[in-house]
Amino acid sequence: MTNLKIPSLQHLARNWQSTPSGIAKQLIELANNPPTFNYNPLFSAVVDMLVLNVPYEHICEGIRRKIKWIALRENYLETLALIYKYFQCVNPTYVQRVGRRYYPVGRGLLVPFDPPIIYGEKGEVYFPWLSFWRINPLLGERLSLFVTLVEEMLRNDPELEGARFQILDFAAPGKKKPRQLVVRDTTGIPRLNPSRISEMLSTFAEGYLQAVYELSSAKTPPATGDSPGRDKNGDSQLSLI
């Protein structure tokens, strides 16, 4: 049996479909054919660099030493260079780590949300979400869903209330083109009304539970071999320094 993890808030938005069966099908495909890597090491690198003040060059050296898959290593380094350049220009007065939050979707489903940091600049608090997807970033109603849910969490959190919500999008404009950093001020992104949010979350919760049921009823062989983005213990959150 293939286990289905509860998706993160941004993956909920990205995998949302108009029907529960469509959501279930997509989640089952992801569970049976998971990505060979993830961007958790980049989130860790951001915290190391901006919160713990680990020198940028040391983090890059850690990536070169630890990541053996060349394409993945270059992917990380390309993105990290954009992050470093951006925060060198912003020059925040302080940076703080932010802990995991959960959003109740319904049917007992709590979806995790892991914002890496908040920072201060010129008397204002900024809440940046770092989107590392190279292609197919959130757009349209899926983007509105994500932004609306995050904004609700910010309003209800004393630690984050009043922070300016930005999306730092590191997507590439084409498959063979380098990444570019686009900073999105979320004030210009349309919000969804409560009834539409309720409808979309209910659809997702039903689709997720349908996927869990279908996977629990199926017999699938365990995965074998090492994935390029994991270490020998199966831990995808690699230590980069």
PDB file of all heavy atoms in Angstrom, residues 86 124 126-127 143 147 151 163-169 182-191:
ATOM      1  N   TYR A  86      18.758  39.177  -3.931  1.00  0.00           N
ATOM      2  CA  TYR A  86      17.568  39.930  -3.514  1.00  0.00           C
ATOM      3  C   TYR A  86      17.741  40.475  -2.100  1.00  0.00           C
ATOM      4  O   TYR A  86      17.499  41.671  -1.842  1.00  0.00           O
ATOM      5  CB  TYR A  86      16.329  39.048  -3.591  1.00  0.00           C
ATOM      6  CG  TYR A  86      15.092  39.706  -3.033  1.00  0.00           C
ATOM      7  CD1 TYR A  86      14.429  40.702  -3.732  1.00  0.00           C
ATOM      8  CD2 TYR A  86      14.585  39.343  -1.778  1.00  0.00           C
ATOM      9  CE1 TYR A  86      13.302  41.321  -3.224  1.00  0.00           C
ATOM     10  CE2 TYR A  86      13.457  39.953  -1.263  1.00  0.00           C
ATOM     11  CZ  TYR A  86      12.830  40.941  -1.985  1.00  0.00           C
ATOM     12  OH  TYR A  86      11.710  41.560  -1.459  1.00  0.00           O
ATOM     13  N   GLU A 124       8.581  48.250   8.556  1.00  0.00           N
ATOM     14  CA  GLU A 124       7.493  47.350   8.172  1.00  0.00           C
ATOM     15  C   GLU A 124       7.937  45.907   8.288  1.00  0.00           C
ATOM     16  O   GLU A 124       9.123  45.590   8.140  1.00  0.00           O
ATOM     17  CB  GLU A 124       7.023  47.639   6.741  1.00  0.00           C
ATOM     18  CG  GLU A 124       6.326  48.967   6.570  1.00  0.00           C
ATOM     19  CD  GLU A 124       5.547  49.026   5.267  1.00  0.00           C
ATOM     20  OE1 GLU A 124       4.446  48.449   5.202  1.00  0.00           O
ATOM     21  OE2 GLU A 124       6.057  49.639   4.316  1.00  0.00           O
ATOM     22  N   TYR A 126       7.631  42.111   6.755  1.00  0.00           N
ATOM     23  CA  TYR A 126       7.333  41.441   5.497  1.00  0.00           C
ATOM     24  C   TYR A 126       7.250  39.932   5.711  1.00  0.00           C
ATOM     25  O   TYR A 126       8.057  39.342   6.438  1.00  0.00           O
ATOM     26  CB  TYR A 126       8.404  41.746   4.452  1.00  0.00           C
ATOM     27  CG  TYR A 126       8.359  43.154   3.929  1.00  0.00           C
ATOM     28  CD1 TYR A 126       8.958  44.191   4.644  1.00  0.00           C
ATOM     29  CD2 TYR A 126       7.716  43.459   2.738  1.00  0.00           C
ATOM     30  CE1 TYR A 126       8.920  45.498   4.174  1.00  0.00           C
ATOM     31  CE2 TYR A 126       7.674  44.764   2.260  1.00  0.00           C
ATOM     32  CZ  TYR A 126       8.276  45.769   2.981  1.00  0.00           C
ATOM     33  OH  TYR A 126       8.226  47.062   2.516  1.00  0.00           O
ATOM     34  N   PHE A 127       6.266  39.350   5.055  1.00  0.00           N
ATOM     35  CA  PHE A 127       6.060  37.908   5.104  1.00  0.00           C
ATOM     36  C   PHE A 127       6.243  37.370   3.680  1.00  0.00           C
ATOM     37  O   PHE A 127       5.333  37.446   2.863  1.00  0.00           O
ATOM     38  CB  PHE A 127       4.652  37.593   5.622  1.00  0.00           C
ATOM     39  CG  PHE A 127       4.319  36.132   5.645  1.00  0.00           C
ATOM     40  CD1 PHE A 127       4.680  35.334   6.709  1.00  0.00           C
ATOM     41  CD2 PHE A 127       3.631  35.554   4.591  1.00  0.00           C
ATOM     42  CE1 PHE A 127       4.366  33.991   6.725  1.00  0.00           C
ATOM     43  CE2 PHE A 127       3.311  34.207   4.600  1.00  0.00           C
ATOM     44  CZ  PHE A 127       3.678  33.422   5.670  1.00  0.00           C
ATOM     45  N   LEU A 143      -4.036  30.360  -7.524  1.00  0.00           N
ATOM     46  CA  LEU A 143      -3.239  31.383  -6.834  1.00  0.00           C
ATOM     47  C   LEU A 143      -4.109  32.161  -5.858  1.00  0.00           C
ATOM     48  O   LEU A 143      -3.694  32.432  -4.721  1.00  0.00           O
ATOM     49  CB  LEU A 143      -2.606  32.330  -7.856  1.00  0.00           C
ATOM     50  CG  LEU A 143      -1.800  33.509  -7.290  1.00  0.00           C
ATOM     51  CD1 LEU A 143      -0.642  33.031  -6.434  1.00  0.00           C
ATOM     52  CD2 LEU A 143      -1.302  34.407  -8.424  1.00  0.00           C
ATOM     53  N   VAL A 147      -3.489  32.505  -1.791  1.00  0.00           N
ATOM     54  CA  VAL A 147      -3.316  33.825  -1.187  1.00  0.00           C
ATOM     55  C   VAL A 147      -4.418  34.105  -0.170  1.00  0.00           C
ATOM     56  O   VAL A 147      -4.167  34.637   0.912  1.00  0.00           O
ATOM     57  CB  VAL A 147      -3.278  34.909  -2.278  1.00  0.00           C
ATOM     58  CG1 VAL A 147      -3.361  36.305  -1.662  1.00  0.00           C
ATOM     59  CG2 VAL A 147      -2.005  34.782  -3.107  1.00  0.00           C
ATOM     60  N   GLU A 151      -3.649  34.705   3.743  1.00  0.00           N
ATOM     61  CA  GLU A 151      -4.044  35.984   4.339  1.00  0.00           C
ATOM     62  C   GLU A 151      -4.931  35.770   5.566  1.00  0.00           C
ATOM     63  O   GLU A 151      -4.806  36.480   6.576  1.00  0.00           O
ATOM     64  CB  GLU A 151      -4.784  36.827   3.315  1.00  0.00           C
ATOM     65  CG  GLU A 151      -5.058  38.248   3.791  1.00  0.00           C
ATOM     66  CD  GLU A 151      -5.709  39.078   2.709  1.00  0.00           C
ATOM     67  OE1 GLU A 151      -6.859  38.750   2.338  1.00  0.00           O
ATOM     68  OE2 GLU A 151      -5.081  40.029   2.228  1.00  0.00           O
ATOM     69  N   ALA A 163       1.638  41.843   8.754  1.00  0.00           N
ATOM     70  CA  ALA A 163       2.796  41.679   7.881  1.00  0.00           C
ATOM     71  C   ALA A 163       2.380  41.799   6.422  1.00  0.00           C
ATOM     72  O   ALA A 163       1.278  41.383   6.042  1.00  0.00           O
ATOM     73  CB  ALA A 163       3.453  40.318   8.123  1.00  0.00           C
ATOM     74  N   ARG A 164       3.249  42.368   5.617  1.00  0.00           N
ATOM     75  CA  ARG A 164       2.998  42.497   4.183  1.00  0.00           C
ATOM     76  C   ARG A 164       3.344  41.179   3.492  1.00  0.00           C
ATOM     77  O   ARG A 164       4.484  40.718   3.542  1.00  0.00           O
ATOM     78  CB  ARG A 164       3.811  43.639   3.584  1.00  0.00           C
ATOM     79  CG  ARG A 164       3.374  45.009   4.079  1.00  0.00           C
ATOM     80  CD  ARG A 164       4.141  46.131   3.400  1.00  0.00           C
ATOM     81  NE  ARG A 164       3.971  46.124   1.943  1.00  0.00           N
ATOM     82  CZ  ARG A 164       4.477  47.035   1.127  1.00  0.00           C
ATOM     83  NH1 ARG A 164       5.216  48.033   1.613  1.00  0.00           N
ATOM     84  NH2 ARG A 164       4.278  46.964  -0.173  1.00  0.00           N
ATOM     85  N   PHE A 165       2.351  40.602   2.855  1.00  0.00           N
ATOM     86  CA  PHE A 165       2.483  39.289   2.243  1.00  0.00           C
ATOM     87  C   PHE A 165       2.998  39.442   0.813  1.00  0.00           C
ATOM     88  O   PHE A 165       2.359  40.062  -0.025  1.00  0.00           O
ATOM     89  CB  PHE A 165       1.126  38.583   2.288  1.00  0.00           C
ATOM     90  CG  PHE A 165       1.082  37.234   1.639  1.00  0.00           C
ATOM     91  CD1 PHE A 165       2.219  36.450   1.494  1.00  0.00           C
ATOM     92  CD2 PHE A 165      -0.128  36.730   1.173  1.00  0.00           C
ATOM     93  CE1 PHE A 165       2.163  35.204   0.896  1.00  0.00           C
ATOM     94  CE2 PHE A 165      -0.204  35.489   0.577  1.00  0.00           C
ATOM     95  CZ  PHE A 165       0.943  34.725   0.439  1.00  0.00           C
ATOM     96  N   GLN A 166       4.167  38.869   0.558  1.00  0.00           N
ATOM     97  CA  GLN A 166       4.757  38.877  -0.773  1.00  0.00           C
ATOM     98  C   GLN A 166       4.989  37.445  -1.237  1.00  0.00           C
ATOM     99  O   GLN A 166       5.180  36.540  -0.427  1.00  0.00           O
ATOM    100  CB  GLN A 166       6.112  39.595  -0.784  1.00  0.00           C
ATOM    101  CG  GLN A 166       6.082  41.060  -0.448  1.00  0.00           C
ATOM    102  CD  GLN A 166       7.487  41.644  -0.411  1.00  0.00           C
ATOM    103  OE1 GLN A 166       8.441  40.985   0.019  1.00  0.00           O
ATOM    104  NE2 GLN A 166       7.628  42.870  -0.881  1.00  0.00           N
ATOM    105  N   ILE A 167       4.988  37.252  -2.544  1.00  0.00           N
ATOM    106  CA  ILE A 167       5.390  35.974  -3.124  1.00  0.00           C
ATOM    107  C   ILE A 167       6.650  36.214  -3.944  1.00  0.00           C
ATOM    108  O   ILE A 167       6.659  37.029  -4.866  1.00  0.00           O
ATOM    109  CB  ILE A 167       4.295  35.367  -4.008  1.00  0.00           C
ATOM    110  CG1 ILE A 167       3.062  35.034  -3.167  1.00  0.00           C
ATOM    111  CG2 ILE A 167       4.810  34.107  -4.708  1.00  0.00           C
ATOM    112  CD1 ILE A 167       1.896  34.483  -3.963  1.00  0.00           C
ATOM    113  N   LEU A 168       7.731  35.532  -3.563  1.00  0.00           N
ATOM    114  CA  LEU A 168       8.967  35.583  -4.327  1.00  0.00           C
ATOM    115  C   LEU A 168       8.964  34.381  -5.264  1.00  0.00           C
ATOM    116  O   LEU A 168       9.166  33.241  -4.841  1.00  0.00           O
ATOM    117  CB  LEU A 168      10.185  35.550  -3.407  1.00  0.00           C
ATOM    118  CG  LEU A 168      10.658  36.882  -2.807  1.00  0.00           C
ATOM    119  CD1 LEU A 168       9.538  37.586  -2.047  1.00  0.00           C
ATOM    120  CD2 LEU A 168      11.869  36.686  -1.920  1.00  0.00           C
ATOM    121  N   ASP A 169       8.686  34.646  -6.529  1.00  0.00           N
ATOM    122  CA  ASP A 169       8.498  33.598  -7.525  1.00  0.00           C
ATOM    123  C   ASP A 169       9.794  33.414  -8.319  1.00  0.00           C
ATOM    124  O   ASP A 169      10.251  34.331  -8.994  1.00  0.00           O
ATOM    125  CB  ASP A 169       7.341  33.999  -8.454  1.00  0.00           C
ATOM    126  CG  ASP A 169       6.940  32.890  -9.405  1.00  0.00           C
ATOM    127  OD1 ASP A 169       7.711  31.928  -9.569  1.00  0.00           O
ATOM    128  OD2 ASP A 169       5.841  32.982  -9.990  1.00  0.00           O
ATOM    129  N   VAL A 182      10.655  37.139  -9.602  1.00  0.00           N
ATOM    130  CA  VAL A 182       9.573  38.108  -9.717  1.00  0.00           C
ATOM    131  C   VAL A 182       8.942  38.247  -8.336  1.00  0.00           C
ATOM    132  O   VAL A 182       8.473  37.258  -7.760  1.00  0.00           O
ATOM    133  CB  VAL A 182       8.508  37.670 -10.745  1.00  0.00           C
ATOM    134  CG1 VAL A 182       7.353  38.659 -10.771  1.00  0.00           C
ATOM    135  CG2 VAL A 182       9.135  37.543 -12.128  1.00  0.00           C
ATOM    136  N   VAL A 183       8.961  39.456  -7.783  1.00  0.00           N
ATOM    137  CA  VAL A 183       8.374  39.714  -6.466  1.00  0.00           C
ATOM    138  C   VAL A 183       6.948  40.197  -6.658  1.00  0.00           C
ATOM    139  O   VAL A 183       6.712  41.244  -7.268  1.00  0.00           O
ATOM    140  CB  VAL A 183       9.194  40.756  -5.687  1.00  0.00           C
ATOM    141  CG1 VAL A 183       8.576  40.984  -4.305  1.00  0.00           C
ATOM    142  CG2 VAL A 183      10.644  40.306  -5.559  1.00  0.00           C
ATOM    143  N   ARG A 184       6.004  39.412  -6.175  1.00  0.00           N
ATOM    144  CA  ARG A 184       4.594  39.740  -6.340  1.00  0.00           C
ATOM    145  C   ARG A 184       4.039  40.347  -5.059  1.00  0.00           C
ATOM    146  O   ARG A 184       4.109  39.726  -3.987  1.00  0.00           O
ATOM    147  CB  ARG A 184       3.779  38.493  -6.680  1.00  0.00           C
ATOM    148  CG  ARG A 184       4.167  37.796  -7.969  1.00  0.00           C
ATOM    149  CD  ARG A 184       3.186  36.674  -8.243  1.00  0.00           C
ATOM    150  NE  ARG A 184       3.550  35.928  -9.437  1.00  0.00           N
ATOM    151  CZ  ARG A 184       2.803  34.966  -9.957  1.00  0.00           C
ATOM    152  NH1 ARG A 184       1.647  34.645  -9.380  1.00  0.00           N
ATOM    153  NH2 ARG A 184       3.194  34.318 -11.042  1.00  0.00           N
ATOM    154  N   ASP A 185       3.506  41.536  -5.174  1.00  0.00           N
ATOM    155  CA  ASP A 185       2.765  42.126  -4.062  1.00  0.00           C
ATOM    156  C   ASP A 185       1.358  41.545  -4.122  1.00  0.00           C
ATOM    157  O   ASP A 185       0.614  41.774  -5.075  1.00  0.00           O
ATOM    158  CB  ASP A 185       2.726  43.647  -4.202  1.00  0.00           C
ATOM    159  CG  ASP A 185       2.078  44.324  -3.006  1.00  0.00           C
ATOM    160  OD1 ASP A 185       1.365  43.639  -2.252  1.00  0.00           O
ATOM    161  OD2 ASP A 185       2.280  45.535  -2.842  1.00  0.00           O
ATOM    162  N   THR A 186       0.982  40.781  -3.118  1.00  0.00           N
ATOM    163  CA  THR A 186      -0.278  40.032  -3.193  1.00  0.00           C
ATOM    164  C   THR A 186      -1.520  40.914  -3.087  1.00  0.00           C
ATOM    165  O   THR A 186      -2.630  40.415  -3.268  1.00  0.00           O
ATOM    166  CB  THR A 186      -0.331  38.964  -2.090  1.00  0.00           C
ATOM    167  OG1 THR A 186      -0.247  39.594  -0.808  1.00  0.00           O
ATOM    168  CG2 THR A 186       0.807  37.970  -2.252  1.00  0.00           C
ATOM    169  N   THR A 187      -1.343  42.210  -2.807  1.00  0.00           N
ATOM    170  CA  THR A 187      -2.529  43.073  -2.724  1.00  0.00           C
ATOM    171  C   THR A 187      -3.260  43.144  -4.059  1.00  0.00           C
ATOM    172  O   THR A 187      -4.455  43.417  -4.095  1.00  0.00           O
ATOM    173  CB  THR A 187      -2.134  44.501  -2.292  1.00  0.00           C
ATOM    174  OG1 THR A 187      -1.155  45.022  -3.211  1.00  0.00           O
ATOM    175  CG2 THR A 187      -1.563  44.501  -0.885  1.00  0.00           C
ATOM    176  N   GLY A 188      -2.572  42.868  -5.160  1.00  0.00           N
ATOM    177  CA  GLY A 188      -3.214  42.925  -6.461  1.00  0.00           C
ATOM    178  C   GLY A 188      -3.817  41.608  -6.919  1.00  0.00           C
ATOM    179  O   GLY A 188      -4.354  41.534  -8.033  1.00  0.00           O
ATOM    180  N   ILE A 189      -3.730  40.575  -6.105  1.00  0.00           N
ATOM    181  CA  ILE A 189      -4.275  39.268  -6.475  1.00  0.00           C
ATOM    182  C   ILE A 189      -5.703  39.146  -5.951  1.00  0.00           C
ATOM    183  O   ILE A 189      -5.952  39.369  -4.758  1.00  0.00           O
ATOM    184  CB  ILE A 189      -3.396  38.144  -5.900  1.00  0.00           C
ATOM    185  CG1 ILE A 189      -1.992  38.223  -6.532  1.00  0.00           C
ATOM    186  CG2 ILE A 189      -4.012  36.775  -6.152  1.00  0.00           C
ATOM    187  CD1 ILE A 189      -0.994  37.277  -5.926  1.00  0.00           C
ATOM    188  N   PRO A 190      -6.675  38.811  -6.811  1.00  0.00           N
ATOM    189  CA  PRO A 190      -8.071  38.713  -6.360  1.00  0.00           C
ATOM    190  C   PRO A 190      -8.251  37.689  -5.243  1.00  0.00           C
ATOM    191  O   PRO A 190      -7.671  36.607  -5.283  1.00  0.00           O
ATOM    192  CB  PRO A 190      -8.824  38.286  -7.625  1.00  0.00           C
ATOM    193  CG  PRO A 190      -7.938  38.674  -8.758  1.00  0.00           C
ATOM    194  CD  PRO A 190      -6.537  38.536  -8.250  1.00  0.00           C
ATOM    195  N   ARG A 191      -9.052  38.067  -4.237  1.00  0.00           N
ATOM    196  CA  ARG A 191      -9.402  37.144  -3.159  1.00  0.00           C
ATOM    197  C   ARG A 191     -10.704  36.420  -3.502  1.00  0.00           C
ATOM    198  O   ARG A 191     -11.529  36.936  -4.253  1.00  0.00           O
ATOM    199  CB  ARG A 191      -9.574  37.887  -1.843  1.00  0.00           C
ATOM    200  CG  ARG A 191      -8.340  38.093  -0.996  1.00  0.00           C
ATOM    201  CD  ARG A 191      -7.128  38.536  -1.707  1.00  0.00           C
ATOM    202  NE  ARG A 191      -6.053  38.955  -0.772  1.00  0.00           N
ATOM    203  CZ  ARG A 191      -4.929  39.479  -1.167  1.00  0.00           C
ATOM    204  NH1 ARG A 191      -4.686  39.673  -2.448  1.00  0.00           N
ATOM    205  NH2 ARG A 191      -4.006  39.823  -0.282  1.00  0.00           N
TER     206      ARG A 191
END
